Amino acid sequence: MSTQATKDQSQARSHFDRGVQLGFILLLLGLWYAVTAFGYVSKLLLPSPQSVVQELSGLLTKSDFWFDVWITLTSIIQAYGLAVVAGVVLGSLIGQSKFAYDVFQPIFAGAFAIPLIIIYPMILYLAGIGPLSKILFGAIYGFLPVALAAMSAFANVPAKWRRYAATLTTNQWLVTRRVLIPAAIPELLSGLRISYVVTFASVIAGEMIAAFAGLGRVISYNAEVLEPARMYAAIMVVIAFAALVNSLMSRLQPRSERA
Amino acid sequence: MLQDSKTRMALSVGQLTQTFQSRGESRTVLSDISLDIREGEVLCLLGPSGCGKSTLLNIFGGFLTPGTGIAKCGDDPITGPRPGDIAFVFQESVLFPWATVIENMETALEFRGVPKAQRREKAMTYLAQVGVDEFAQHYPGQISGGMKQRVALAAALSLETPILLMDEPFAALDEQTRMVLGEDLSRLLTQTKKTIVFVTHSLNEAVFMADRIVVLTARPGRIKGIISVDEPHPRSPDFMTSDSFSAIRRDVYSLLRDEIRKADA
């Protein structure tokens, strides 16, 4: 079979997959419309799709709402930036030494297994209700998966490549740049993806617990004041944002996977 | 025949004994090995599985320090890998999967400090020598095992070291591929005048390529005998069907036979 034919076939299959996915989403929307239109559920629990769309178009024209979006966005970027830089630096250093790896890997893995939201009150004491608290929390939570991925990626560079490099040069920096880093990248990338999800969730959660602004705050506030349609509208914005970033992230593919 | 006093030693070991500790047991893999390898000769280490031939090669390569005894490169004791002097071809593929064949070659040259402007041309020259230049833009995952070992050989040759060590470089390949590679290697090595030490399991490969074959005993490995092959390089495939080839092969096999049985027992 020619490669062109295989390509066409896999393209046709992926169109089919997309079609089924779209159909599934439409089915859910139809179900949503049906249960609200025929009054099976309380409007307080699940407002009708039409009312949510109406609230959404209302929100999107308000500068207040865009300020909330801006606060959430900049908080996520700052938290994620801190998490990635600290995680890559510390993780790659720890991964270079078997001793450091054996000591710290279980500690970091253990810390990541704890629902860190339990320390949020302490972070509020420390950083106040402003954006700093959620940035700090998102950074701490997002740091762990990056550090874990980086240390394991560097610790697991196959010995054969280290040996081969040793027969070629004594310049350790060159070995790091040309061998260790490229070898670590696939595992590191998966850590970066997990970290992004965790940071995003942490920032939104922080906003829902205590904040003056941000999408999480908009959601929790409208839940409190019994405006479910507006709450769902804000949720839609978060979902749209998550979907957008997720599709961008899935394009990050290491070069070696092309083969 | 007396040793020519002007012949310099490329590599040597004296009274080398190597012992490994594993699970509280100590295992002696090499015992009292003394061997001088002359500049420009092709030397083959042959012996039953587990006789320590790869261990000996790893000591020459600087990956292991001798237990007792001494290992030297020229007049210097070997204390670690020697990038300027010794190139190593490993048994398994060590090509970087994230880089194309040509990028792999260029990385090796970059490690040796070859200026960027000269890397591509030099890499292509050596790839052409081993006949894989048309795969320069492929990733290692896209070419066969034989091609990968050819690239590894090209990379090792491109370092232009006086010494080349090869640890069963063709072990993972089928018989036909090994024969063709063996012929190509014999031709290449004649041109390069390198000192070469290689480990193999194959009698044919040993007799076809080596100037001297060192047969090791079953564990702990001692030198059982050394057999010279006085056929000039480059050797043609006809050599393999000649009477002298068969005679040498028979001699080597008679040294090896008892040791293989011992190793099996």
Side-chain angles (χ1 to χ4, degrees):
Chain A
M1 193 187 294
S2 79
T3 50
Q4 187 55 44
T6 325
K7 212 170 166 183
D8 286 350
Q9 218 176 39
S10 78
Q11 224 161 37
R13 195 178 305 138
S14 109
H15 282 314
F16 178 72
D17 290 353
R18 288 272 172 277
V20 173
Q21 283 167 351
L22 198 67
F24 183 66
I25 291 169
L26 288 175
L27 183 76
L28 284 181
L29 285 173
L31 223 67
W32 180 11
Y33 174 79
V35 293
T36 51
F38 300 112
Y40 289 126
V41 288
S42 143
K43 281 210 164 66
L44 209 56
L45 270 181
L46 190 64
S48 68
Q50 310 91 290
S51 64
V52 171
V53 169
Q54 208 176 356
E55 284 292 342
L56 186 62
S57 63
L59 277 180
L60 293 180
T61 54
K62 279 194 199 131
S63 64
D64 279 8
F65 180 73
W66 286 107
F67 177 71
D68 286 309
V69 171
W70 173 249
I71 288 292
T72 299
L73 207 64
T74 51
S75 299
I76 290 170
I77 291 169
Q78 292 174 72
Y80 188 54
L82 282 171
V84 169
V85 172
V88 169
V89 170
L90 209 66
S92 57
L93 287 176
I94 290 171
Q96 305 279 330
S97 142
K98 187 179 153 36
F99 174 74
Y101 181 82
D102 289 346
V103 169
F104 289 110
Q105 200 278 342
I107 295 176
F108 281 67
F112 191 47
I114 299 168
L116 285 185
I117 197 85
I118 57 175
I119 65 166
Y120 205 74
M122 293 314 299
I123 289 181
L124 281 174
Y125 283 148
L126 203 75
I129 299 186
L132 188 60
S133 51
K134 59 194 172 188
I135 293 171
L136 217 55
F137 180 61
I140 292 169
Y141 223 150
F143 157 80
L144 291 170
V146 179
L148 280 167
M151 67 181 78
S152 132
F154 279 93
N156 292 331
V157 173
K160 62 175 186 177
W161 287 333
R162 293 178 187 273
R163 267 161 55 107
Y164 175 47
T167 67
L168 298 172
T169 183
T170 51
N171 181 339
Q172 278 313 304
W173 167 234
L174 209 52
V175 174
T176 304
R177 237 174 61 213
R178 289 280 182 261
V179 182
L180 302 187
I181 291 176
I185 276 178
E187 204 174 344
L188 198 57
L189 282 183
S190 72
L192 292 184
R193 285 190 211 117
I194 296 169
S195 165
Y196 165 71
V197 173
V198 171
T199 306
F200 189 13
S202 301
V203 168
I204 297 283
E207 288 177 345
M208 293 181 77
I209 291 171
F212 295 125
L215 283 168
R217 172 70 188 147
V218 174
I219 292 167
S220 63
Y221 175 79
N222 283 298
E224 278 165 36
V225 300
L226 301 181
E227 286 283 2
R230 203 170 297 157
M231 179 187 82
Y232 275 91
I235 288 174
M236 291 295 160
V237 174
V238 174
I239 290 173
F241 179 71
L244 180 74
V245 178
N246 189 46
S247 78
L248 289 178
M249 283 262 177
S250 64
R251 272 163 217 236
L252 288 179
Q253 281 256 330
R255 234 179 133 186
S256 56
E257 281 174 23
R258 283 188 214 155
Chain B
M1 192 167 57
L2 282 172
Q3 181 99 32
D4 179 354
S5 62
K6 278 182 194 144
T7 304
R8 303 223 348 243
M9 294 309 150
L11 292 166
S12 60
V13 284
Q15 280 130 39
L16 177 85
T17 296
Q18 194 74 11
T19 304
F20 289 122
Q21 302 290 336
S22 72
R23 279 169 275 140
E25 262 177 76
S26 75
R27 242 166 17 118
T28 302
V29 280
L30 290 171
S31 174
D32 194 28
I33 305 270
S34 293
L35 181 64
D36 288 329
I37 300 165
R38 296 187 280 263
E39 263 182 17
E41 84 169 321
V42 180
L43 186 126
C44 170
L45 300 172
L46 193 68
S49 297
C51 72
K53 50 196 192 296
S54 285
T55 305
L56 185 53
L57 200 72
N58 282 335
I59 288 171
F60 283 133
F63 300 124
L64 288 171
T65 38
T68 60
I70 188 151
K72 289 203 282 193
C73 174
D75 295 325
D76 301 339
I78 296 173
T79 55
R82 302 170 69 94
D85 300 323
I86 299 175
F88 208 104
V89 179
F90 296 88
Q91 188 174 348
E92 54 187 343
S93 171
V94 292
L95 298 181
F96 305 128
W98 56 83
T100 60
V101 164
I102 187 81
E103 287 165 351
N104 264 284
M105 296 285 294
E106 286 172 338
T107 304
L109 291 170
E110 182 184 3
F111 281 168
R112 287 306 318 124
V114 175
K116 194 174 167 73
Q118 297 168 24
R119 285 179 212 150
R120 169 106 357 169
E121 198 193 332
K122 199 167 201 171
M124 284 311 292
T125 308
Y126 281 98
L127 282 177
Q129 275 195 14
V130 300
V132 284
D133 45 331
E134 59 186 303
F135 296 104
Q137 303 302 333
H138 286 59
Y139 284 89
Q142 300 169 317
I143 58 177
S144 69
M147 290 299 168
K148 279 187 222 171
Q149 281 310 74
R150 278 175 185 266
V151 176
L153 184 62
L157 292 173
S158 76
L159 305 174
E160 297 175 347
T161 55
I163 300 169
L164 180 64
L165 305 180
M166 301 192 291
D167 186 6
E168 299 192 48
F170 312 135
L173 310 179
D174 62 82
E175 187 67 25
Q176 281 88 3
T177 311
R178 304 169 69 124
M179 299 295 243
V180 176
L181 262 175
E183 278 170 41
D184 289 356
L185 198 57
S186 169
R187 178 176 46 76
L188 277 172
L189 299 183
T190 324
Q191 296 161 2
T192 56
K193 310 266 183 232
K194 282 178 196 291
T195 306
I196 292 158
V197 183
F198 72 102
V199 166
T200 185
H201 269 114
S202 158
L203 276 174
N204 285 341
E205 211 167 272
V207 178
F208 186 73
M209 289 185 7
D211 295 321
R212 282 197 298 164
I213 300 165
V214 176
V215 179
L216 297 175
T217 65
R219 193 165 60 225
R222 298 165 198 276
I223 294 178
K224 171 112 176 183
I226 300 180
I227 289 173
S228 293
V229 184
D230 293 325
E231 177 81 10
H233 287 281
R235 294 173 183 168
S236 79
D238 296 337
F239 172 51
M240 220 176 281
T241 52
S242 69
D243 290 340
S244 63
F245 186 93
S246 316
I248 298 165
R249 197 181 181 284
R250 198 162 48 237
D251 289 348
V252 176
Y253 185 61
S254 67
L255 279 181
L256 200 57
R257 190 176 43 205
D258 298 340
E259 300 306 323
I260 294 174
R261 292 200 183 282
K262 266 189 245 167
D264 255 0

